[in-house]
Amino acid sequence: MRFSMALRWIFPPLLILFHLCGLHGLTQGSEACREREPAVLKSAKSMVQSTWPIRSTHDPVSRFIESLGRRLVEGVCPGESLAWSFHVIRDLDLKAFSVKGCSVFVSDGAVVSVGSESELAAVLAHEIGHHLAGHFLDSENSGGPRLGNNLFVFFSEMGASTRDAATITTGSLKQIDSPQREYEADEQAVVVLHRSEYNPQGLLDLIHRLRQGGTLSHPSERISRIEKLLERKIPGGRYISDSDSFRKIRDKIQKDWKDLDLCP
Amino acid sequence: MRGFRLLAANPFVSLSLCCAFLLLGCATTDPEQAQQQVGGAVVGALLGGAVGALTSRDAKGALVGAAAGAALGFAAVKLAQYQANRVRTAEQDAKIYGLTPLTDTPLVKINDISCSSPMVTKTDPVQFHADYSLSVPKSFQNVAVQETYIFKDKDGKVVANLGTQQKNLEPGGYEVRGKLLLPENTLPGEYQLELQIKAGTSYDVSAARFQVKG
């Protein structure tokens, strides 16, 4: 009788503890899915939207990226995808970054340059990974900028770098160059891809490709970490690697460029 | 050579040129527009007549060609009184919009493009206004910018390319004003004036819509 009473008191806290530990491992929780302070966080997003040339939300390319992004979010944070937004920047160059307010931006050039849909999903998953890893929340807790003015960039021309977290001021936003945070975002991305049935190998393929072009920070270390992660944590399975919809979208961007007489 | 002799000698070819001048008689209220349309019709008639004569080798072909050419030339939409000015420095732009480029490439953004009236008649020039921002990395002082204006129908089909302006600009905010001159034979309906701007790898596209009354 005493034993069952003891169980009644001990079991619920234990259950909660196990639950929290389980969630903490790969996605630091649905709290990160939503983030906090939405009113403040909107500022970074609206700032980018008012300064960068962005495709309209009715544009087929925007709709595809929005749909792909939401699918990735749903894989790790079911029911939370409406809180996120995904935008396409009109730029021939490779650009992808995320800002506070669950906002992810990717350029036309990045969509055209990736080798497959799973590689494009990997770019978005990495940016989603920064949010899930709590990198935007960290900056507040560590006494960093309080207005949510951090920005994480996927493609860069900094090459392999081992320096510690550094900030590169870009107007009102600060671009964070932190190898550790990039590794964490990669780790999250592998899980995001796996859970949304995109081939996690896409992230590795993309990083290999970008290493050759010199448009990625810390590639060697990232490759070795992702390889280990794929071996240890991700079981094999049937994944999406490419689709007709993706190819149509890529063709659409290239047609737009041709119509505008743009030469990449 | 034979085509040109035919063009010069045949009365039907001369008649085709008269068609062009008949079209000139269609008066418009704007003298600048009228002048541009006259030029378009004459050039169109001459080119059309020459092509018709060369391809069909008879007077009827030349006449048809001239008439078609005159009509096409007459139908040209024109951009007039184009003026562009730098209205904000890079610092003033940054205060309003807040950002500079992330990488070592320029950034261009159309803030606004609008027409003075959403509903116009085809005899009225359509006044338009555009505003765009140009940001450049610190290592740049000027950057090559290309502005292109396209006249489109409501479905986005190109009606006329109104020309491109090539410039070398300092960073900051720019305001453009101008007039769109519509030909007399413009059909009633919805149209768009599209502005395309390019600077480095960055580009932006935006359009102002307006309705032409019947």
Side-chain angles (χ1 to χ4, degrees):
Chain A
M1 191 65 185
R2 276 185 192 166
F3 180 70
S4 84
M5 281 292 283
L7 264 185
R8 194 175 294 174
W9 284 103
I10 292 168
F11 187 69
L14 273 178
L15 195 67
I16 291 167
L17 190 65
F18 282 134
H19 183 68
L20 286 176
C21 290
L23 275 182
H24 189 75
L26 285 174
T27 62
Q28 283 182 355
S30 56
E31 185 191 346
C33 289
R34 265 185 245 163
E35 294 181 350
R36 295 171 294 166
E37 302 179 59
V40 175
L41 304 184
K42 269 180 190 169
S43 65
K45 175 186 166 185
S46 60
M47 201 185 295
V48 174
Q49 282 180 312
S50 69
T51 312
W52 290 64
I54 310 276
R55 282 182 181 265
S56 94
T57 50
H58 306 296
D59 185 292
V61 180
S62 299
R63 286 207 300 263
F64 178 83
I65 295 295
E66 182 83 27
S67 154
L68 172 56
R70 289 193 194 286
R71 177 180 177 151
L72 293 168
V73 172
E74 284 294 324
V76 286
C77 305
E80 300 285 347
S81 69
L82 286 176
W84 291 68
S85 64
F86 299 85
H87 311 272
V88 184
I89 302 164
R90 292 185 186 273
D91 202 302
L92 310 182
D93 206 4
L94 295 171
K95 286 186 168 67
F97 58 89
S98 51
V99 297
K100 263 197 153 182
C102 298
S103 299
V104 176
F105 296 81
V106 61
S107 68
D108 279 349
V111 178
V112 168
S113 302
V114 294
S116 64
E117 186 173 349
S118 61
E119 286 188 22
L120 176 60
V123 173
L124 298 182
H126 174 93
E127 295 306 324
I128 291 168
H130 279 297
H131 291 268
L132 299 180
H135 292 164
F136 293 96
L137 304 176
D138 281 350
S139 65
E140 286 171 6
N141 297 339
S142 62
R146 297 199 53 148
L147 295 174
N149 58 354
N150 285 355
L151 175 143
F152 292 92
V153 175
F154 190 91
F155 306 101
S156 77
E157 293 175 3
M158 294 166 201
S161 167
T162 52
R163 60 189 162 154
D164 291 333
T167 58
I168 301 157
T169 306
T170 57
S172 305
L173 297 185
K174 284 186 194 301
Q175 179 183 333
I176 306 296
D177 174 32
S178 158
Q180 186 55 40
R181 286 177 178 171
E182 296 308 314
Y183 306 148
E184 288 168 9
D186 282 343
E187 191 175 337
Q188 297 286 342
V190 167
V191 178
V192 170
L193 289 167
H194 168 65
R195 292 203 187 159
S196 53
E197 297 175 348
Y198 277 100
N199 195 344
Q201 180 71 28
L203 181 61
L204 198 56
D205 295 343
L206 179 67
I207 290 178
H208 272 296
R209 186 197 310 280
L210 294 172
R211 180 164 70 167
Q212 290 168 357
T215 52
L216 194 77
S217 56
H218 339 294
S220 303
E221 180 66 20
R222 286 172 73 174
I223 286 171
S224 106
R225 283 171 181 257
I226 294 167
E227 279 173 344
K228 283 178 193 163
L229 200 63
L230 290 177
E231 282 169 16
R232 286 183 201 162
K233 292 195 176 178
I234 301 299
R238 289 177 68 86
Y239 291 118
I240 302 165
S241 287
D242 228 334
S243 72
D244 282 344
S245 313
F246 168 68
R247 283 187 285 271
K248 278 180 191 165
I249 286 302
R250 203 158 53 174
D251 291 347
K252 152 90 176 129
I253 294 174
Q254 285 169 328
K255 185 183 175 300
D256 287 353
W257 288 358
K258 195 179 167 191
D259 291 346
L260 294 166
D261 203 19
L262 292 165
C263 303
Chain B
M1 200 61 198
R2 182 183 163 177
F4 286 111
R5 275 203 301 272
L6 179 69
L7 190 68
N10 201 305
F12 283 102
V13 179
S14 305
L15 190 64
S16 70
L17 290 175
C18 293
C19 288
F21 286 100
L22 275 176
L23 283 167
L24 308 183
C26 305
T28 110
T29 52
D30 187 327
E32 188 178 359
Q33 183 179 11
Q35 198 179 1
Q36 286 171 339
Q37 287 179 349
V38 166
V42 170
V43 172
L46 286 171
L47 286 174
V51 171
L54 285 167
T55 53
S56 68
R57 298 186 176 183
D58 64 16
K60 193 178 168 189
L63 182 63
V64 171
L72 281 173
F74 183 75
V77 187
K78 301 284 179 188
L79 204 63
Q81 295 178 12
Y82 170 91
Q83 279 189 320
N85 294 302
R86 188 171 181 239
V87 290
R88 298 182 299 276
T89 62
E91 291 73 27
Q92 287 169 329
D93 237 25
K95 273 185 188 170
I96 299 171
Y97 300 108
L99 275 181
T100 50
L102 276 177
T103 57
D104 58 352
T105 56
L107 186 66
V108 68
K109 162 86 174 175
I110 300 172
N111 302 313
D112 176 47
I113 177 164
S114 58
C115 291
S116 56
S117 172
M119 184 81 82
V120 296
T121 63
K122 54 194 168 191
T123 53
D124 294 334
V126 182
Q127 294 191 355
F128 71 90
H129 165 267
D131 183 290
Y132 65 88
S133 293
L134 176 69
S135 310
V136 300
K138 282 182 180 169
S139 54
F140 288 60
Q141 284 196 326
N142 290 299
V143 67
V145 174
Q146 190 176 305
E147 274 176 39
T148 304
Y149 294 86
I150 312 274
F151 185 54
K152 290 184 166 183
D153 69 11
K154 70 176 169 58
D155 301 319
K157 191 179 166 192
V158 176
V159 177
N161 188 327
L162 304 172
T164 296
Q165 305 278 335
Q166 301 270 10
K167 302 165 180 187
N168 219 22
L169 298 179
E170 291 177 75
Y174 290 84
E175 187 182 70
V176 181
R177 289 184 186 278
K179 285 181 182 176
L180 186 67
L181 307 175
L182 303 173
E184 284 284 325
N185 57 354
T186 303
L187 295 172
E190 193 181 316
Y191 293 91
Q192 308 177 48
L193 173 63
E194 184 179 277
L195 168 59
Q196 306 169 353
I197 301 194
K198 304 162 206 170
T201 60
S202 180
Y203 72 99
D204 204 2
V205 182
S206 192
R209 286 176 179 267
F210 60 93
Q211 194 91 24
V212 175
K213 284 191 275 193

